[in-house]
Amino acid sequence: MALEADRRLAGNYNFVVSLRRSASGESGAASPPTPNEGDGFPGDGGFQECSGLDLEMDVQEINEGGRNDGVIRRFGRGKFSNLVLKRGMFYGADYQVNTAVWGWLQGILEGKRPFPRYDGTVQLLSADHSTPLATWTFIRGVPAKVTGPQLNAKTGDVAIEELHIAHEGLKLGM
């Protein structure tokens, strides 16, 4: 019975995504910026799907001479997938569409330097949204892809967008 209760608490539908300006520097900057309180990304959260919370180790096999019953395995670098946030949209406090994601990517494309990197968290919450059950933290993220909403007057669908974030590290904490 306790296991069943735990499954209900760890539903994969209650999560919050937050982005904060990275304290470990900006790409193209001479020195890391000083983190400012409230220097977050406006409109945190608001996505229905999050993927890319994975880490893969580069495993290399070494064939040792005279050893025919196996191989030696050495671990190399970790590989991180892009974090993909789907079916959502960033909104500001006034519930107007927030253009910060597009501005972030557009600034990079236009060659504005230094461009900001963001650290972020994805928190899995309990069924009543009161308790964080797990927190994934990524560092030094940059936008790899932004997809605008599919606009179609024939359907009553909500305007949604998709954001891919390339980052330099991912950790799981409780």
Side-chain angles (χ1 to χ4, degrees):
M1 190 63 153
L3 181 60
E4 188 63 29
D6 288 345
R7 284 188 186 142
R8 281 180 289 177
L9 288 175
N12 63 357
Y13 53 86
N14 294 325
F15 65 93
V16 176
V17 179
S18 298
L19 297 174
R20 297 286 174 253
R21 193 70 160 284
S22 179
S24 60
E26 297 175 329
S27 292
S31 61
T34 305
N36 297 322
E37 189 63 36
D39 192 17
F41 201 80
D44 293 342
F47 288 88
Q48 292 181 5
E49 186 177 331
C50 174
S51 61
L53 297 172
D54 49 79
L55 164 64
E56 180 182 343
M57 294 297 298
D58 182 22
V59 179
Q60 300 171 353
E61 293 185 354
I62 299 172
N63 295 319
E64 185 178 27
R67 182 176 176 193
N68 297 326
D69 61 347
V71 296
I72 297 172
R73 295 189 174 185
R74 300 282 186 227
F75 296 100
R77 295 189 170 139
K79 298 177 190 174
F80 304 103
S81 297
N82 286 353
L83 185 68
V84 180
L85 304 171
K86 292 183 180 178
R87 291 196 275 286
M89 199 164 212
F90 284 100
Y91 291 94
D94 58 357
Y95 296 104
Q96 296 295 315
V97 173
N98 187 328
T99 60
V101 172
W102 288 87
W104 186 23
L105 185 60
Q106 195 64 41
I108 294 169
L109 292 174
E110 291 172 357
K112 294 180 182 174
R113 300 291 186 264
F115 62 84
R117 289 182 172 263
Y118 283 83
D119 298 339
T121 60
V122 177
Q123 279 191 329
L124 177 64
L125 303 175
S126 61
D128 63 0
H129 300 270
S130 65
T131 309
L133 302 175
T135 302
W136 289 267
T137 303
F138 63 91
I139 58 169
R140 295 181 45 80
V142 294
K145 178 181 177 181
V146 178
T147 303
Q150 300 286 326
L151 303 175
N152 185 344
K154 293 181 182 179
T155 67
D157 293 342
V158 175
I160 57 174
E161 65 184 10
E162 181 177 315
L163 171 63
H164 295 231
I165 299 176
H167 55 86
E168 295 181 358
L170 181 69
K171 293 182 180 180
L172 172 62
M174 301 303 216

